[in-house]
Amino acid sequence: MRKKEKLGRQMEISYALARSAPMLEWEQERALIEGWQTNKDPSALEELLLSHARIVYYWARKLSSDQADREDLISEGIIGLIKAAEMFDLERDVRFSTYARWWVKNATITARNRLHAIVDTPEGTSKEIPAPTRHS
């Protein structure tokens, strides 16, 4: 078996594809989310990600002008979209884009902070260094 077959199909979401992807209607969005959450249907996830990738590109462009950093931010933002698709509660009366925006924003800001940190600190720890104390 070839390596690509083991890993499965890879998704490519370029900026041009994201811009040209149609916005989903309420019912389409929910059907895709349900298809992903219940059946782990990769085509449902891909269509959902493609239609909401604009959010990822917006935050990547807003947070960095450096192309190398921007690519990392886009990758992290897509991961945020996937988490949003997994965690979205279909019982709530809210659009997926509203919910996903927080996940994408959080993922990209966290990635940017990690990229620009001099010392990589674990997430959730304080970055403040306590002042040295004098012992007499």
Side-chain angles (χ1 to χ4, degrees):
M1 195 181 282
R2 294 189 331 246
K3 188 173 184 177
K4 188 166 186 158
E5 289 177 49
K6 285 182 186 175
L7 296 175
R9 195 170 141 257
Q10 291 182 344
M11 285 188 265
E12 273 192 46
I13 301 177
S14 68
Y15 181 67
L17 278 174
R19 282 191 47 150
S20 66
M23 299 298 287
L24 299 173
E25 296 294 326
W26 176 275
E27 296 81 19
Q28 293 173 301
E29 189 175 89
R30 294 195 173 261
L32 292 172
I33 293 167
E34 187 173 359
W36 172 247
Q37 288 180 349
T38 58
N39 304 324
K40 295 298 180 202
D41 179 8
S43 61
L45 178 64
E46 186 171 3
E47 189 174 343
L48 187 68
L49 295 180
L50 188 58
S51 68
H52 290 85
R54 289 178 187 92
I55 301 167
V56 174
Y57 282 96
Y58 167 80
W59 280 105
R61 198 170 51 248
K62 181 176 176 124
L63 295 174
S64 179
S65 59
D66 178 37
Q67 186 61 34
D69 283 355
R70 198 177 287 171
E71 289 175 13
D72 289 337
L73 296 179
I74 290 167
S75 296
E76 292 295 324
I78 296 293
I79 292 169
L81 266 180
I82 294 169
K83 286 181 183 177
E86 290 177 2
M87 305 292 290
F88 187 74
D89 183 1
L90 289 165
E91 301 297 317
R92 312 274 323 250
D93 190 27
V94 65
R95 292 296 301 252
F96 178 72
S97 61
T98 304
Y99 182 76
R101 190 172 289 118
W102 182 87
W103 283 94
V104 170
K105 180 180 177 183
N106 185 47
T108 54
I109 289 174
T110 301
R112 189 221 29 211
N113 291 343
R114 195 174 54 248
L115 286 169
H116 293 284
I118 295 172
V119 176
D120 196 15
T121 55
E123 198 171 315
T125 59
S126 175
K127 292 188 181 192
E128 292 181 24
I129 300 172
T133 56
R134 286 196 134 169
H135 298 285
S136 301

